[in-house]
Amino acid sequence: QVQLVESGGGVVQPGRSLRLSCVASGFTLSDYGMHWVRQAPGKGLEWVALIWNDGSHKYYADSVKGRFTISRDNSKNTLYVQMNSLRVEDTAVYYCARGSGGYFTRFDPWGQGTLVTVSS
Amino acid sequence: QSALTQPASVSGSPGQSITISCTGTSSDVGGYNFVSWYQQNPGKAPKLMIYDVSNRPSGISNRFSGSKSGNTASLTISGLQAEDEADYYCSSYTSSSTQVFGTGTKVTVL
């Protein structure tokens, strides 16, 4: 079945870096755009980044632009996000989601999420 | 990239219908038919309920329906059931080629 599994979360100090991974199974990753979405504790969803199916286009939320980099390795069925210069406000559960439809605007399915805690 | 505006909470009795609004601008909701709705239960990942304003994915009950008028999209749940109690989020494509989510609505079944 279609499945997304995130990993790489943990506790990190402000200013440090972390890389999250999302392994896809049950579908051909290269056919879909992929998103990262985060949710701070007790808060709503916040879109973070999108990468097109072939990696040719990448888009970011203003809150992470210049600090986060989304990438993918279709041969490894894996999506990544490199998070640099982390801030306390980046603390959240990070979800990857498959994007389909026009401009990959349909988020389905989602992974189970991985928790990133930025704290000194 | 301001979040789309949703009511914080909506409630209804079993069997009733409720509607959740999602208000944006002409640069997002009003400009494109790429509005989706997601259901999130506590501690779980969101689940797609409606895409492209009014389309239901396979397996989603026809009690869920979506619409849009101008800069406001709406999700209607008819025949409200206890299992519908959850948080609901809208999302929209934007003129910057990004995505934006709504502020979220907690649905309570009385």
Side-chain angles (χ1 to χ4, degrees):
Chain A
Q1 75 280 20
V2 175
Q3 191 173 15
L4 298 169
V5 179
E6 302 95 335
S7 61
V11 180
V12 60
Q13 293 179 328
R16 303 299 290 264
S17 299
L18 202 61
R19 189 179 81 159
L20 306 182
S21 301
C22 167
V23 176
S25 59
F27 66 99
T28 302
L29 188 64
S30 59
D31 287 343
Y32 296 88
M34 293 295 294
H35 299 268
W36 287 101
V37 178
R38 67 185 181 183
Q39 186 169 34
K43 302 296 184 181
L45 301 174
E46 180 187 14
W47 177 81
V48 172
L50 160 67
I51 184 168
W52 279 25
N53 58 320
D54 59 0
S56 60
H57 293 76
K58 303 175 184 181
Y59 301 96
Y60 299 93
D62 288 344
S63 57
V64 306
K65 197 175 297 182
R67 299 187 300 122
F68 288 16
T69 301
I70 190 171
S71 63
R72 63 194 296 158
D73 186 335
N74 288 337
S75 67
K76 295 182 178 179
N77 294 319
T78 304
L79 171 74
Y80 305 98
V81 63
Q82 176 69 40
M83 305 184 295
N84 298 332
S85 303
L86 282 162
R87 305 168 179 169
V88 170
E89 55 266 34
D90 294 319
T91 295
V93 173
Y94 284 74
Y95 296 100
C96 62
R98 188 178 71 173
S100 60
Y103 299 108
F104 307 111
T105 53
R106 194 184 318 169
F107 298 67
D108 180 45
W110 299 56
Q112 85 289 349
T114 187
L115 177 62
V116 172
T117 302
V118 184
S119 173
S120 54
Chain B
Q1 288 179 332
S2 299
L4 307 175
T5 301
Q6 297 180 231
S9 63
V10 173
S11 62
S13 299
Q16 286 187 329
S17 292
I18 62 170
T19 297
I20 303 168
S21 61
C22 169
T23 301
T25 70
S26 58
S27 295
D28 39 64
V29 175
Y32 309 91
N33 287 325
F34 295 128
V35 176
S36 298
W37 289 90
Y38 301 88
Q39 178 191 66
Q40 187 179 34
N41 288 297
K44 301 294 187 181
K47 176 183 178 182
L48 177 68
M49 305 301 286
I50 295 287
Y51 67 94
D52 294 354
V53 175
S54 60
N55 293 287
R56 273 188 314 275
S58 173
I60 300 301
S61 170
N62 58 10
R63 297 186 299 105
F64 291 85
S65 62
S67 63
K68 190 184 85 167
S69 178
N71 296 336
T72 298
S74 299
L75 173 71
T76 297
I77 309 174
S78 57
L80 196 63
Q81 299 179 3
E83 66 198 49
D84 301 332
E85 190 162 288
D87 293 328
Y88 291 83
Y89 295 90
C90 61
S91 75
S92 176
Y93 180 74
T94 82
S95 58
S96 302
S97 301
T98 60
Q99 291 281 316
V100 61
F101 282 97
T103 50
T105 299
K106 181 176 181 60
V107 169
T108 300
V109 181
L110 301 172

